[in-house]
Amino acid sequence: MPHPPMWSLAAATAALTLLAAQQPAYDEPLRPQFHFTPARYFMNDPNGLVFFKGEYHLFYQHNPQGEQWGHMSWGHAVSADLLHWQHLPVALPEADGLMIFSGSVVVDWRNTSGFCAAGRDDRSCLVAVYTGDGHGKQAQNLAYSNDRGRTWTKYANNPVLDLGLKDFRDPKTFWYEPTRRWIMVTVLPDQHKVRLFASPDLKGWTPLSEFGPAGATGGVWECPDLFELPIEGEPGRTRWVLDVDINPGGIAGGSAGQYFIGTFDGTRFVADEPAERTRWSDYGADFYASQSFSDIPAIDGRRIWIGWTSNWLYANDEPSVTWRGAQSIPRSLTLRRDPDGLRLVQSPVAEIERLRLAPAPTVITGATVLPGSAEIELHVKPGAWTEAGIRLWNDAGEEAIVGVTREPLEVFVDRRRSRRAPFHAAYPARHAGPLAWRYGELTVRILFDRSVIEVFAAGGETVITDRVFPTQPFDRLELLPSSGAQPDARMWTLVSVWNRPH
Ligand code: DQQ
């Protein structure tokens, strides 16, 4: 029997050094500990979110060569639990003057494309549908993988959908069972239009319908998504959600996500509300280009999306070093009916509770030490307060405040004093979203992760995502108001998902 080769000490040290160079410590002061960030260099939109054979795949817009947008390629990571990610090599690199812009991945279960080199019992493979940007235009392209996303082949007859337009992008594709065909949702960004196409095989596409302009149109439309969601408390009832992002012209300035609720009959999306009505998915400055996972098994049944926690106003200037850009926590989506109609509701995936250092929370009554990564829950009751919440602060005199105001009744994140010398004029700002007293008390769930704040108020009805970039860690927390009618507050320390056995 041949013996496995013995490693010399020098070879082992060299291999470890190489590993360390590829995988940084993930402990830089602004590096989130339970949010996904690229090992190094620039990241923007999540792409190709798909669940396949026990793995969640996260592809992302990535510059493999630098810390600012450019050379767009698809970075890649996989996870078994949506939290612990394993980095994989770049899946789709820029090539031949064509950058790989945003898009989606589907499981071609029945090998409709003919790309799947599958065995007798398994005819499935992964197919990526992405925008090729270059040579003066944008068109939709395919690539496929027969080894669970580890290697990809670009389709020889790309592009598969070309309107000869300079701006035509971000295909989100899904299988629509009632008509047994693929649907592709795209945008004509400067026309503020979503355009739908259908295909039997992912290769040949016919136009179906158009939606828009509607809602907010103060910037280009990008990264659409279309999916069906259950209505809470109304068993068997659903509605479709068309998500379209906009840049600039978002609610907090710059980039943001908006959505429309309505019906989809396999051909056309029709909104329930008048075209003038705008609904925002997030009231912060840092939630953009969200995309939902494809092919989550029916037995799980969740619709989960991830958004990029940045804003094109300053995405290239964020003061993180060696890496730039983070993804939001994966959020599970439902629809909830209130007196104002149906609305989208978002909650962090339940898996996040496994990151709690101890099952029992710490009850906060005054000032306390703030861990770098934490989940904080506030229960705010009507009472003698004008502003109730928490202040995160440090010795440099920097602070961020997260809370609720009474008049008007709003949830807010105030990061105006969160960095001594702002790196961009749009950074110091306060962002707020509307609330209503409907449950006797308001819950505010806050995820804090060094430079990411995500706030889910009223059970996820109003959400704010804001990045914070203090010059030294926020390591103290105090309740507001500092005396009198304080909210009930509890906190869990969350453990890091990076560089720790799991
Ligand atoms: N980012 C991608 C485009 C998309 C934009 C390019 C949204 O496909 O429209 O990096 O951030």
Side-chain angles (χ1 to χ4, degrees):
M1 275 269 281
H3 290 284
M6 291 287 289
W7 277 29
S8 72
L9 189 60
T13 312
L16 280 177
T17 313
L18 186 70
L19 202 66
Q22 286 167 349
Q23 177 81 11
Y26 264 83
D27 200 26
E28 300 93 332
L30 294 169
R31 177 83 90 165
Q33 295 298 292
F34 63 94
H35 287 79
F36 180 83
T37 53
R40 60 186 64 239
Y41 295 147
F42 188 86
M43 172 178 75
N44 53 294
D45 319 348
N47 292 152
L49 302 180
V50 68
F51 181 83
F52 186 52
K53 300 194 172 168
E55 292 176 321
Y56 294 94
H57 290 259
L58 164 59
F59 300 86
Y60 52 90
Q61 287 288 281
H62 183 44
N63 181 354
Q65 301 180 31
E67 291 169 33
Q68 296 197 322
W69 188 92
H71 301 288
M72 288 338 274
S73 303
W74 278 24
H76 189 194
V78 288
S79 169
D81 66 359
L82 291 164
L83 294 168
H84 296 85
W85 295 97
Q86 181 198 344
H87 292 295
L88 293 175
V90 167
L92 296 172
E94 168 197 43
D96 308 322
L98 212 64
M99 292 202 278
I100 315 294
F101 272 22
S102 286
S104 47
V105 169
V106 290
V107 182
D108 186 2
W109 291 107
R110 301 175 186 85
N111 193 17
T112 60
S113 62
F115 291 148
C116 309
R120 229 162 29 123
D121 302 328
D122 178 7
R123 295 195 288 158
S124 64
C125 65
L126 292 176
V127 181
V129 188
Y130 62 92
T131 299
D133 173 278
H135 313 296
K137 67 176 182 182
Q138 296 180 339
Q140 314 325 324
N141 293 261
L142 304 178
Y144 55 92
S145 169
N146 273 296
D147 55 2
R148 294 162 60 241
R150 274 30 183 204
T151 58
W152 291 83
T153 307
K154 289 176 183 162
Y155 178 41
N157 293 336
N158 277 335
V160 291
L161 181 55
D162 182 1
L163 305 181
L165 291 173
K166 196 171 82 47
D167 289 289
F168 168 47
R169 58 180 177 267
D170 305 342
K172 177 69 163 78
T173 303
F174 62 92
W175 176 257
Y176 187 70
E177 183 59 26
T179 50
R180 297 182 66 79
R181 58 185 184 178
W182 299 99
I183 306 292
M184 187 201 287
V185 190
T186 65
V187 281
L188 303 178
D190 38 4
Q191 299 178 38
H192 311 115
K193 284 183 180 166
V194 166
R195 202 174 264 193
L196 304 188
F197 299 85
S199 170
D201 58 3
L202 293 165
K203 292 170 173 167
W205 293 93
T206 50
L208 286 181
S209 61
E210 240 177 40
F211 175 84
T217 54
V220 294
W221 278 20
E222 296 186 316
C223 300
D225 200 347
L226 177 62
F227 44 81
E228 191 176 15
L229 282 185
I231 303 174
E232 289 180 9
E234 300 181 20
R237 298 201 59 183
T238 64
R239 218 71 181 156
W240 285 76
V241 173
L242 176 64
D243 154 59
V244 192
D245 293 24
I246 178 170
N247 173 54
I251 177 73
S255 344
Q258 65 175 325
Y259 65 93
F260 305 89
I261 298 175
T263 52
F264 175 64
D265 61 2
T267 301
R268 186 174 298 279
F269 173 81
V270 179
D272 291 338
E273 295 183 317
E276 305 76 59
R277 176 77 198 250
T278 304
R279 288 187 180 266
W280 299 103
S281 35
D282 194 299
Y283 286 83
D286 298 305
F287 188 76
Y288 194 59
S290 55
Q291 183 182 109
S292 70
F293 276 90
S294 191
D295 294 283
I296 292 189
I299 193 164
D300 177 318
R302 290 178 295 178
R303 177 63 59 168
I304 297 170
W305 76 4
I306 293 178
W308 171 48
T309 64
S310 191
N311 191 309
W312 280 122
L313 287 170
Y314 47 69
N316 283 305
D317 307 314
E318 287 174 0
S320 53
V321 179
T322 74
W323 60 280
R324 198 171 263 142
Q327 302 298 349
S328 75
I329 203 72
R331 302 172 180 180
S332 180
L333 307 176
T334 55
L335 293 174
R336 187 174 296 167
R337 198 180 293 282
D338 68 21
D340 188 31
L342 288 173
R343 63 163 73 207
L344 183 69
V345 172
Q346 306 173 61
S347 325
V349 290
E351 285 87 336
I352 195 176
E353 291 173 20
R354 297 186 205 147
L355 299 181
R356 291 172 177 170
L357 182 62
T362 308
V363 174
I364 308 168
T365 48
T368 187
V369 170
L370 175 67
S373 301
E375 179 185 342
I376 299 150
E377 197 177 86
L378 306 177
H379 294 259
V380 187
K381 297 193 177 61
W385 51 270
T386 51
E387 188 173 293
I390 51 168
R391 184 169 85 96
L392 322 178
W393 53 289
N394 64 20
D395 276 342
E398 296 163 331
E399 64 173 25
I401 301 172
V402 182
V404 174
T405 53
R406 202 183 162 84
E407 290 289 341
L409 188 59
E410 284 181 335
V411 56
F412 70 92
V413 173
D414 186 347
R415 64 177 188 192
R416 282 175 295 183
R417 290 169 299 278
S418 62
R419 185 175 174 87
R420 256 186 320 214
F423 59 93
H424 188 279
Y427 171 73
R430 179 183 182 279
H431 304 124
L435 289 175
W437 287 116
R438 283 194 287 113
Y439 312 105
E441 67 167 22
L442 285 166
T443 58
V444 184
R445 190 170 172 197
I446 302 156
L447 302 182
F448 170 67
D449 198 9
R450 295 192 182 184
S451 62
V452 179
I453 295 178
E454 288 176 90
V455 184
F456 300 85
E461 289 180 10
T462 308
V463 182
I464 300 183
T465 307
D466 269 345
R467 298 293 300 279
V468 284
F469 298 101
T471 58
Q472 61 186 65
F474 286 138
D475 53 7
R476 246 76 58 77
L477 175 151
E478 69 174 8
L479 275 190
L480 299 175
S482 46
S483 62
Q486 289 185 325
D488 290 338
R490 35 198 216 145
M491 174 167 76
W492 292 263
T493 297
L494 299 188
V495 299
S496 177
V497 299
W498 302 104
N499 296 326
R500 291 193 168 82
H502 55 266

